[in-house]
Structures are given as C-alpha cells and as structure tokens.
C-alpha cells in the first residue's frame, strides 16, 4: 500500500425537488428516480471507497406533492426530507433558489433540523453581513490527513424570482467575487489540499467553445467561475437540470446530475503526497443513473406517514369539469386558445380582480383535467408553488412580452409550425411561453422575431401602447423571470400570497362544476 497516494470520491445530488420515492404522483406509477434509489448507489460507493464526500447542491425541499403537503397542510412534525438527508449522512447542503419557495419558516426549520451544515457564501444577512445560514464553507479531513474544503454558492438571481417579503433581510452577492474571497481563505488560512465548490447555478457558455449560450444575466456563472477563479479543483453545478459529465474546463472538473433524483454526480480525485503536501494528480467526473436500482426500504419507512397522508389528500375529489379540459397535444395547446389555459387564466383573474392575465403550460407532463378533479390533478398540472401579483404595465410592455413569447416558434418555412430549439436546449423552457386572456392577439410566425404580433386588441379595439393596464401573472414572471425584463420593477397593485394550486382548488370548490370554455381570443398564424 502506497501511503503517498489517496483517492477521494465526491457524490452530488442536485435539483432533487422533493423526489424521495420512485413514483410519479400524476398517476402513482413507478419511476426510475428518487433519493430512495440514489441511496443504494451511495451505499455501494461507501462500501467500495474509504473517502467519500456527499453534498446536496440545492433545490431539495420543494417540488412534489409530498413536500407541498408537508409545507402547506401539516408541518407540525419534523421535515421528512431532512430526516432522509440526515439518515444518509450528508456532509453539506447548498441553498437553492427553490429552497425559499415555501417561506422562511419552512427553510429556517429545515436548516435547524439538519445534522449537516447548509452553505451560503454569497447569501448574507443584511443585519450581520454574515452568511445567513451560518457557514460559507465546511472542511472535511480524512484519516490520510487530506483536508477538503467545500464552499457553497447560490445563483445571485433569486431576487428576480422570489417574493420580496421572503428575502427582504438578505443580500445576494456575485458568486465569482465571493468565490475569490473564500477560496483564498481556504487555501491560505485553512490549508486545504482540495477545493470543492458546490454552486447552485449552471453554465452560461458552451462548454466546448466558450461561446455565450444565453444572455449573461448573472443567473448562471459556472463557466466564469472556472475561468476567473483560481484554486477550484472540483465544481459541482445544478439549477439548469442538465446532465454533464466527463468535462474539464480550464483545469476544473465539472459535473451536473440533471433533476428529479434520476442520477447522482460522481467525481473521483487522486492525490499524491510530495514533500509533505498533497497535490491532485488525476480527476474525472461521471454520472450514475438510478435506473434498475433497488429502493432503500429505510427511506421508504422514514417518509411513510407523510406519504400516506399525501396520497389521501391527493385523491380527494373537489369538483367536476363539464366539457373537455384535457391535454391531447402539448404543441396544439401552444398554438391556439384551449380550455385548460383559459381556465387557469380565469382563476387568476377571479382571484385578483385583474382583467388581463397570462400563464404557461409549464412542461410536457400536464394531462389537463378530466371530468372528476382531485388535488392530484391540480398539483400535476400546476407544478410550481407560485403566488400571484397584479402589476401595472404599459400596452407597449404587453406587446413586448407577447413578442418575446412569440419567439417560441421558428420562422415559418412552409412545412408546418415548429418550436424554436432555443426553448429546448440546453434545457426545456416551455414555462417561458405565456398565453394570455383578456386581450385578443395573433402571432404571425411568417414574420421575423420582434415583429410577429400582427393583432393586439383590448375590449375589441386596438390596445393603446402608451396606456396603463393591470395584468395578473405569477410572481416569477412579475419579477422579470425568464428574461421578461419589461415586467421587472413595475408597480405592484396587488399581491396575492396564496399558492396557485390552492387558488385553483378554492375556485373549483366554490363552484362545484366548471364549464370548459374556449373563447379563441388568440392564435398562431402564418402567411
């Protein structure tokens, strides 16, 4: 045995979004995902490797009906998600943007319950100017004497999405500047041999060419971290839900394990002792998918009670739909008005009093509503814990937003309507295509980008571009999320701090039966 050589294996989960069990809540069918399956991989890695670092990279405590039920219906007991992470003996967790979605009480209690540190080097409490959850980094030292520094960073773009009341006491600093500061401390003061940066953010540039792949808003800065910050050995990433492995950028090995606990990121680092100092001699990354893995029964037991309660809650019938409100074709939903989208917009308008509304079909998993509606149907179709805001905008802002959504389609080539690939790669962004109620408009995809809205009426007359209108939309969009900058910092006329799933349920409960209607106020056309 060579005591001058050692190997460290780093395991990363990211963007799990509450997927603890290997099921799809939309239909309760089994699925190749879940921390209970990932746990089997973790256990195998621990059996085969002496030196393991296990990190969650953020967006863990929100995202499934189980997490919603715990956060919104019954949170008197300990958070089952944290119980699972404690059982798996995580070394650290990083704050993701969705950690704030259920409010600070849920997040603060989760941090207190955790038997591992949560890291936030660039999220500071305004009152103290210190990391709000306690630590910017943690150090793990192995029996070989190797000291590993783990620095936690979070996308600084959170104020563009989150309800201001939830984060009013926090400052979100630039991750590159924070990384430079703390890595110097890790190297100079803490004398670490290996620096791991766990960043809840993704890549703003092409990993091969370095070309800009999206607008440089600061939401994703992983490439910049690799190129501008000295001393990073390993960069764990997330947020974009991409599957990235076997990549080294400017000497930094990177990995990203997708979303929904379908895979775990793995980085293997070999170090050699030279003149009493350890140095990295080899490193690589790969992904391990949980397809075919056994589910850890202990984890199933940990969440059994809240899971059973969630299932009962999900299958409670709350009303009926008279007519067709199902999704038969995802693309057709986005090229002409439909009963489902019209219904969601009408719920928003009824809840807010606004006469104009927009919403999106967030992904290609929504099934719509059948004749009997349960809570399972609602949370399966409206997957985010969004609240609503009514903001005051100009007619020209509405037109600009419509033009941005209109870029969802490629320029018509005579062979059918096609989706712009930019809304699919590097990750699906169907949630950034809005459909409106309360106005009448046409999207002509024969026209160039920015000149596609050929009809825009309000109450039967052309909309006045310099006139003010009140529009209801989800809090993500109202803050300019999705690069809808025309909405950012607009006056908020009304804030409805109730989750949309609850508003939809209340709307149905109050009426009993909902008529599926389509007024055909908008459509996609071509010359």
């Amino acid at each position: 045995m060579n005591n001058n050589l050692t190997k460290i294996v780093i395991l990363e989960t990211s963007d799990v979004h509450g997927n603890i069990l290997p099921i799809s809540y939309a239909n309760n069918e089994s699925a190749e995902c879940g921390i209970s399956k990932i746990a089997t991989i973790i256990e195998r890695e621990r059996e085969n490797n002496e030196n393991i670092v296990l990190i969650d990279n953020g967006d863990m405590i929100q995202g499934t009906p189980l997490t919603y039920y715990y956060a919104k219906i019954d949170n008197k007991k300990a958070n089952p998600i944290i119980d699972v992470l404690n059982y798996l003996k995580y070394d650290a967790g990083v704050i993701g943007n969705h950690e704030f979605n259920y409010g600070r009480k849920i997040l603060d209690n989760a941090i207190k319950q955790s038997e591992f540190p949560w890291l936030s080097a660039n999220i500071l409490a305004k009152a103290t100017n210190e990391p709000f959850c306690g630590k910017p980094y943690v150090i793990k030292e192995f029996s070989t004497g190797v000291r590993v520094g783990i620095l936690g960073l979070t996308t600084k773009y959170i104020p563009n999405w989150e309800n201001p009341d939830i984060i009013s006491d926090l400052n979100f600093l630039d991750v590159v500047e924070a990384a430079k500061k703390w890595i110097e401390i890790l190297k100079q003061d803490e004398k670490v041999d290996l620096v791991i940066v766990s960043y809840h953010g993704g890549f703003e540039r092409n990993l091969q060419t370095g070309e800009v792949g999206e607008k440089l808003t600061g939401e994703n800065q992983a490439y910049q971290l690799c190129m501008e910050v000295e001393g990073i050995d390993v960069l764990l990433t997330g947020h974009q839900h991409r599957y990235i492995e076997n990549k080294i950028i400017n000497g930094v090995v990177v990995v990203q394990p997708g979303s929904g606990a379908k895979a775990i990121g793995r980085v293997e680092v070999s170090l050699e002792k030279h003149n009493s100092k350890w140095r990295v001699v080899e490193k690589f990354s790969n992904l391990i998918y949980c397809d075919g893995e056994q589910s850890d029964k202990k984890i199933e037991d940990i969440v059994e009670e809240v899971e059973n309660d969630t299932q009962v809650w999900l299958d409670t019938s709350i009303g009926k739909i008279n007519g067709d409100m199902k999704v038969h074709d995802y693309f057709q939903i986005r090229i002409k008005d439909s009963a489902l989208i019209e219904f969601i917009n009408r719920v928003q308008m009824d809840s807010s009093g606004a006469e104009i509304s927009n919403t999106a079909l967030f992904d290609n998993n929504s099934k719509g509503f059948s004749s009997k509606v349960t809570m399972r149907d609602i949370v399966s179709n409206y997957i985010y814990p969004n609240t609503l805001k009514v903001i005051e905008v100009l007619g020209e802002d509405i037109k600009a937003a419509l033009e941005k959504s209109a870029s969802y389609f490629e320029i018509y080539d005579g062979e059918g309507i096609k989706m712009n690939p930019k809304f699919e790669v590097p990750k699906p962004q169907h949630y950034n295509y809005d459909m409106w109620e309360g106005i009448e408009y046409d999207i002509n995809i024969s026209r160039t980008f920015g000149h596609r809205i050929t009809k825009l009426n309000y109450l039967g007359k052309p909309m006045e571009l310099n006139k003010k209108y009140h529009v209801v939309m989800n809090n993500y969009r109202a803050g300019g999320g999705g690069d809808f900058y025309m909405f950012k910092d607009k006056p908020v006329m009304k804030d409805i701090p109730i989750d949309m799933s609850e508003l939809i349920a209340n709307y149905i409960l109050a009426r009993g039966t909902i008529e599926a209607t389509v007024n055909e106020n908008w459509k996609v056309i071509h010359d």
Side-chain angles (χ1 to χ4, degrees):
M1 181 175 178
N2 189 344
N3 293 326
N4 290 327
L5 288 174
T6 192
K7 180 178 74 174
I8 293 173
V9 173
I10 303 138
L11 301 176
E12 176 208 10
T13 54
S14 190
D15 300 272
V16 169
H17 287 290
N19 283 276
I20 300 301
L21 301 175
I23 62 172
S24 169
Y25 283 97
N27 51 24
N28 265 2
E29 291 181 358
S30 62
E32 294 291 358
C33 67
I35 287 295
S36 66
K37 281 178 170 278
I38 294 291
T40 303
I41 301 172
I42 294 171
E43 180 61 27
R44 187 165 62 243
E45 287 291 330
R46 283 176 169 154
E47 290 175 356
N48 295 332
N49 299 283
E50 183 178 357
N51 303 320
I52 294 284
V53 178
L54 177 60
I55 302 170
D56 182 71
N57 190 55
D59 284 3
M60 169 63 79
I61 67 172
Q62 173 276 334
T64 59
L66 185 149
T67 64
Y68 182 94
Y69 181 85
Y70 172 77
K72 297 296 185 178
I73 309 300
D74 185 4
N75 55 41
K76 297 181 183 67
K77 298 179 182 179
N79 191 321
I81 307 298
I82 303 303
D83 283 344
V84 168
L85 301 187
N86 287 341
Y87 162 72
L88 289 172
K89 293 181 169 52
Y90 271 74
D91 291 300
V94 173
I95 301 294
N97 52 295
H98 285 286
E99 255 67 67
F100 293 97
N101 284 173
Y102 293 142
R104 285 290 288 281
K105 182 179 179 181
I106 294 294
L107 175 55
D108 292 345
N109 286 342
I111 293 171
K112 291 175 185 176
Q113 183 187 335
S114 299
E115 296 171 2
F116 54 88
W118 288 77
L119 309 178
S120 61
N122 69 308
I123 307 177
L124 307 185
K126 290 180 179 177
T128 63
N129 209 36
E130 297 291 332
F132 97 98
C133 58
K135 291 188 176 183
Y137 64 82
V138 67
I139 294 171
K140 184 169 185 176
E141 186 167 350
F142 293 98
S143 59
T144 57
V146 173
R147 287 170 59 82
V148 177
I150 306 163
L151 179 70
L153 299 169
T154 304
T155 174
K156 67 179 181 182
Y157 214 61
I158 289 175
N160 291 278
W161 306 312
E162 194 51 72
N163 189 324
D165 293 341
I166 294 175
I167 57 173
S168 60
D169 62 332
L170 303 177
N171 283 325
F172 294 81
L173 308 184
D174 183 77
V175 298
V176 173
E177 295 307 311
K180 289 178 179 178
K181 170 187 173 180
W182 290 108
I183 289 174
E184 183 176 1
I185 291 172
L186 284 170
K187 301 286 280 189
Q188 299 301 320
D189 298 347
E190 299 285 5
K191 309 296 183 184
V192 300
D193 303 295
L194 183 71
V195 172
I196 302 169
V197 172
S198 188
Y199 168 47
H200 189 82
F203 291 91
E204 72 281 26
R205 293 178 180 270
N206 183 288
L207 273 64
Q208 280 73 38
T209 66
E211 295 178 357
V212 175
E214 59 179 54
K215 288 186 177 179
L216 300 180
T217 62
E219 177 182 351
N220 297 298
Q221 295 177 274
Y223 195 90
Q224 188 181 1
L225 283 168
C226 292
M227 299 303 293
E228 297 184 13
V229 182
E230 293 185 8
I232 302 176
D233 296 299
V234 178
L235 180 61
L236 311 178
T237 66
H239 184 58
Q240 289 175 314
H241 298 187
R242 296 170 66 182
Y243 295 91
I244 298 173
E245 61 182 327
N246 194 27
K247 299 291 182 186
I248 293 181
I249 301 172
N250 195 30
V252 181
V253 63
V254 302
V255 69
Q256 188 172 142
S259 66
K262 299 180 186 71
I264 188 169
R266 182 183 187 275
V267 179
E268 184 173 313
V269 181
S270 297
L271 299 98
E272 182 179 38
K273 185 182 278 187
H274 184 71
N275 293 332
S276 299
K277 289 187 178 182
W278 291 97
R279 61 186 180 91
V280 176
V281 292
E282 186 180 12
K283 54 187 176 181
F284 65 89
S285 67
N286 65 291
L287 300 177
I288 305 174
Y289 293 85
C290 65
D291 298 39
E293 297 288 353
Q294 292 295 313
S295 177
D296 187 318
K297 183 64 167 56
K298 175 62 176 177
I299 289 179
E300 293 178 2
D301 292 342
I302 289 172
V303 301
E304 181 179 16
E305 183 178 350
V306 68
E307 170 67 12
N308 290 339
D309 291 343
T310 299
Q311 291 292 346
V312 172
W313 171 73
L314 281 171
D315 288 324
T316 302
S317 178
I318 61 172
K320 298 180 179 179
I321 302 295
N322 186 19
D324 187 2
M325 208 178 281
K326 294 180 180 178
V327 176
H328 301 284
D329 185 309
Y330 297 111
F331 200 64
Q332 288 296 315
I333 288 277
R334 298 184 177 104
I335 64 175
K336 62 181 179 181
D337 193 20
S338 67
L340 177 64
I341 297 301
E342 185 167 306
F343 168 69
I344 300 297
N345 272 318
R346 291 206 176 280
V347 171
Q348 294 187 171
M349 295 161 81
D350 179 80
S351 302
S352 65
E355 296 181 344
I356 303 174
S357 172
N358 68 47
T359 190
L361 186 68
F362 296 121
D363 61 23
N364 286 348
N365 295 312
S366 298
K367 304 297 184 184
F369 297 122
S370 56
S371 58
K372 184 186 80 169
V373 181
T374 65
M375 283 304 303
R376 189 184 304 278
D377 298 319
I378 292 174
V379 298
S380 298
N381 284 283
Y382 204 101
I383 60 175
Y384 295 116
N386 290 332
T387 58
L388 297 179
K389 291 183 184 295
V390 178
I391 60 174
E392 186 176 74
V393 300
L394 295 174
E396 63 184 12
D397 296 319
I398 293 175
K399 187 174 187 298
L402 288 167
E403 290 287 3
K404 179 165 181 57
S405 284
S407 68
Y408 184 82
F409 305 99
E410 288 192 300
I411 294 177
Y412 185 64
D413 62 0
E415 297 183 1
I417 302 173
K418 300 174 183 176
M419 189 183 77
N420 186 338
K422 289 185 177 180
F423 282 79
E424 189 68 40
V425 178
K427 73 170 183 176
Q429 295 184 52
H430 305 298
Y431 54 83
N432 280 331
Y433 172 70
D434 291 334
M435 293 160 279
W436 293 63
E437 192 64 34
I439 58 176
E440 304 88 46
Y441 63 96
D442 289 345
I443 300 173
N444 190 333
I445 59 172
S446 295
R447 308 295 174 86
T448 57
F449 296 128
H451 303 280
R452 293 182 153 186
I453 306 305
T454 52
K455 170 187 173 183
L456 177 55
N457 291 346
Y458 175 65
L459 299 179
K461 297 180 181 180
M463 176 167 276
E464 298 179 45
L465 298 186
N466 60 351
K467 185 178 178 179
K468 295 178 179 178
Y469 299 88
H470 292 173
V471 182
V472 60
M473 61 190 73
N474 66 58
N475 60 295
Y476 171 81
R477 186 69 80 236
D483 297 337
F484 280 75
Y485 301 116
M486 69 291 297
F487 296 145
K488 186 174 173 56
D489 298 325
K490 294 295 184 181
V492 177
M493 311 309 294
K494 186 181 291 186
D495 188 352
I496 300 98
I498 303 172
D499 285 359
M500 262 301 289
S501 55
E502 186 175 343
L503 292 175
I504 294 170
N506 290 342
Y507 186 93
I508 296 173
L509 283 166
R511 290 159 179 79
T513 299
I514 304 298
E515 297 291 332
T517 62
V518 183
N519 62 13
E520 299 181 348
N521 66 302
W522 68 272
K523 59 184 179 296
V524 175
I525 63 174
H526 51 78
D527 296 335

